[in-house]
Amino acid sequence: MSNICVVGTGYVGLVTGVCFAGLGNQVVCLDIDENRIDGLQRGIMPIYEPGLEEIVDQNVRAGRLTFTTDYRKAIEKAEFAFIAVGTPSGVDGEADLQYVRSAAETTADVLDHPLIVVNKSTVPVGTGDWVSDIISKRCNHHDLDFSVVSNPEFLREGAAINDFMNPDRIILGSTDKLAAEKVAQLYSTLRCPIMITDLRTAEMIKYASNAFLATRISFINEIANMCEELGADVSEVARGMGDDKRIGHAFLDAGLGWGGSCFPKDVKALAHMAVLHGTHPQLLQAVIEINRNQRRRGGVRLRRSLNGLNDKVIGVLGLSFKPNTDDIREAPALEVIHLLENEGATIRAYDPQAMPAARKALHKVTFCENPYLVAEGADALVLATEWNEFKQLDFRCIFQMMRTPVIMDGRNLWDPAQMRAIGFRYFGVGRGCESSE
Ligand code: NAD
């Protein structure tokens, strides 16, 4: 059993805290957001993540998990402090490190005993050294024993608890091998490969992994656009490619492109790092551009299909950046909605979890209680996020309800032949020629 403090109670911090508590450790989760901590102390989750509420409740009851806004209280007994604060994009695409800086400074201010600071936030290469510098300059106890370990996180929102408890690998980077080995001990019951490397390499592994996954999606989207012109079906192409063990199936789904709280900012930050250090990130720039165009292409196809978008009513299904999360950061749906609104369309939308967050970001959209109300009287229906509950809608009923039966399946979720047999003008992404729509 170890004493752990987790700084930041977002998607990564809260999951990290509750999972370490579940493994038998004593965990204090710390955040500067008082509402968030107040809610957590009353059992109210600040985010939607399947299974989270139950496991938070179990660990709070077992006395292993507490929440606070007080750094001194949180750090007082900690042997490990995991930093899991946000690292959003700055103005030029660089990672904005203000929250990491503030977490490191405030930790240093209250530090009076040996501590291993573990960085879980996704940060530019070199940040571990910078954090170490901040703490040693700021801390009053100059001979204090502390180390910095980089431990990038790879969990996926929507499957975060399972991903944390069953990781493919744990990456640990540090100049202090003993400190990295102590962090490795915390994960030892998870029975997965643990790789210990230097700080900078660990930081780079995270960026390279996210950039590679984004590249796969942009690659298949580029192939999808060719399929549309050439009459091939990209879903079948991806299946045929993925059966090759050297390629695999993951992240080969054509659609409206990647979004979310990580890929967009991380690809941009990596490209920014490259430029800053005199290398030319040609591939990353193409990956970003293909992704941007993918949303635009969706808008253009809808405009063409409806002979213009002015005064058209468009229904949008799905607002979160992917299923099983309420996270709308850089969600493709939001960008598509802005494009359609800019051309005069009126938007109605539904999402199983993301509507509270979306209401704050989309002021002109009418939010509906279910997919059928979205379709009623609509000129087109756009699928932006492939939630399970959209898989088997009553499309005969939807066909009757719509003003014009046009469907843009931005995630290739539905069967084109079935849709066309009902009478829809259906188009997916990269599924045959426009002429067959
Ligand atoms: P988030 O925005 O959901 O949560 C960040 C939390 O940190 C917020 O609650 C905020 O109030 C708190 N915070 C900010 N400054 C603080 C401070 N000085 N002290 C204490 N708390 C502070 O962020 P997230 O999505 O959990 O991401 C955290 C980091 O993990 C990012 O670097 C991200 O790139 C990385 N990451 C995220 C995911 C993901 O799926 N969300 C996956 C892997 C890695």
Side-chain angles (χ1 to χ4, degrees):
M1 193 277 270
S2 300
N3 281 304
I4 296 173
C5 161
V6 181
V7 184
T9 58
Y11 291 87
V12 169
L14 189 52
V15 169
T16 299
V18 75
C19 289
F20 275 135
L23 292 172
N25 299 288
Q26 203 60 41
V27 179
V28 183
C29 283
L30 166 74
D31 205 292
I32 46 169
D33 182 337
E34 289 182 7
N35 286 336
R36 196 166 266 242
I37 292 300
D38 183 52
L40 281 163
Q41 285 168 340
R42 290 184 292 124
I44 301 165
M45 296 304 108
I47 52 167
Y48 170 73
E49 182 60 44
L52 184 65
E53 193 168 344
E54 293 78 355
I55 129 162
V56 167
D57 183 54
Q58 278 164 21
N59 284 286
V60 169
R61 279 171 196 275
R64 290 189 294 262
L65 181 64
T66 55
F67 302 100
T68 185
T69 53
D70 183 339
Y71 264 85
R72 194 170 296 280
K73 238 170 110 188
I75 298 287
E76 152 180 271
K77 291 194 187 136
E79 299 154 74
F80 301 91
F82 282 78
I83 297 183
V85 299
T87 47
S89 270
V91 272
D92 293 325
E94 78 283 11
D96 177 352
L97 293 176
Q98 62 168 309
Y99 304 107
V100 175
R101 174 195 282 278
S102 149
E105 287 177 348
T106 327
T107 300
D109 289 345
V110 300
L111 192 59
D112 59 4
H113 64 277
L115 181 73
I116 297 177
V117 177
V118 190
N119 192 21
K120 248 193 190 306
S121 296
T122 304
V123 289
V125 177
T127 303
D129 298 325
W130 177 72
V131 164
S132 185
D133 223 40
I134 291 176
I135 298 176
S136 50
K137 282 192 185 135
R138 180 108 176 182
C139 191
N140 286 330
H141 306 265
H142 291 295
D143 49 354
L144 206 70
D145 173 19
F146 80 92
S147 313
V148 175
V149 175
S150 163
N151 171 212
E153 181 52 61
F154 299 95
L155 61 74
R156 297 162 302 168
E157 288 176 20
I161 293 165
N162 187 54
D163 284 353
F164 189 95
M165 296 306 248
N166 302 287
D168 290 336
R169 80 304 204 186
I170 298 292
I171 303 291
L172 299 171
S174 187
T175 43
D176 178 348
K177 190 142 185 279
L178 199 65
E181 278 164 2
K182 284 187 185 159
V183 181
Q185 272 302 314
L186 295 176
Y187 289 105
S188 58
T189 50
L190 299 183
R191 302 190 188 290
C192 66
I194 297 181
M195 177 178 167
I196 296 186
T197 176
D198 63 82
L199 252 178
R200 287 168 180 246
T201 303
E203 290 166 342
M204 184 51 115
I205 287 171
K206 174 63 190 176
Y207 277 113
S209 302
N210 271 3
F212 185 70
L213 294 174
T215 301
R216 282 179 68 108
I217 299 175
S218 284
F219 174 83
I220 202 68
N221 279 333
E222 185 155 291
I223 297 293
N225 297 342
M226 290 184 226
C227 286
E228 259 157 41
E229 304 305 322
L230 297 167
D233 182 339
V234 76
S235 307
E236 297 284 293
V237 171
R239 195 150 66 93
M241 287 170 63
D243 280 344
D244 185 328
K245 288 193 188 65
R246 295 169 302 174
I247 297 174
H249 290 280
F251 289 81
L252 277 186
D253 295 313
L256 294 173
W258 38 273
S261 61
C262 292
F263 285 8
K265 76 173 177 63
D266 292 349
V267 180
K268 271 192 261 170
L270 185 57
H272 185 269
M273 245 183 284
V275 172
L276 209 64
H277 293 276
T279 66
H280 182 23
Q282 305 173 61
L283 179 61
L284 297 180
Q285 280 163 356
V287 165
I288 293 169
E289 194 183 326
I290 291 167
N291 200 51
R292 199 181 304 127
N293 285 341
Q294 204 62 12
R295 275 87 139 135
R296 290 198 191 132
R297 196 173 160 92
V300 169
R301 294 180 83 199
L302 210 50
R303 184 205 301 138
R304 203 186 302 148
S305 201
L306 296 176
N307 284 325
L309 291 166
N310 200 24
D311 292 333
K312 298 286 167 30
V313 177
I314 314 281
V316 176
L317 296 182
L319 297 166
S320 55
F321 83 92
K322 66 174 179 180
N324 298 322
T325 181
D326 59 348
D327 198 341
I328 57 162
R329 289 178 278 186
E330 304 260 350
L334 269 62
E335 210 176 317
V336 169
I337 288 173
H338 287 311
L339 288 170
L340 301 177
E341 281 180 341
N342 283 346
E343 297 206 28
T346 304
I347 308 296
R348 281 204 230 125
Y350 166 77
D351 186 283
Q353 291 293 340
M355 291 205 288
R359 276 199 171 92
K360 294 180 198 151
L362 300 167
H363 303 293
K364 289 192 271 174
V365 169
T366 305
F367 294 95
C368 302
E369 275 173 32
N370 63 55
Y372 299 96
L373 292 175
V374 168
E376 198 167 12
D379 295 293
L381 197 57
V382 175
L383 178 83
T385 318
E386 66 281 28
W387 284 87
N388 267 342
E389 71 171 74
F390 300 147
K391 279 185 181 156
Q392 298 199 332
L393 296 171
D394 183 344
F395 282 104
R396 287 185 195 283
C397 170
I398 286 178
F399 179 78
Q400 297 297 334
M401 294 168 94
M402 289 178 70
R403 189 157 61 188
T404 352
V406 172
I407 287 200
M408 184 175 107
D409 180 355
R411 297 293 171 188
N412 289 347
L413 185 70
W414 299 312
D415 180 350
Q418 271 179 20
M419 290 298 172
R420 290 185 184 123
I422 293 171
F424 285 109
R425 257 190 295 146
Y426 167 94
F427 54 95
V429 179
R431 304 179 107 179
C433 288
E434 300 266 323
S435 54
S436 64
E437 283 161 11

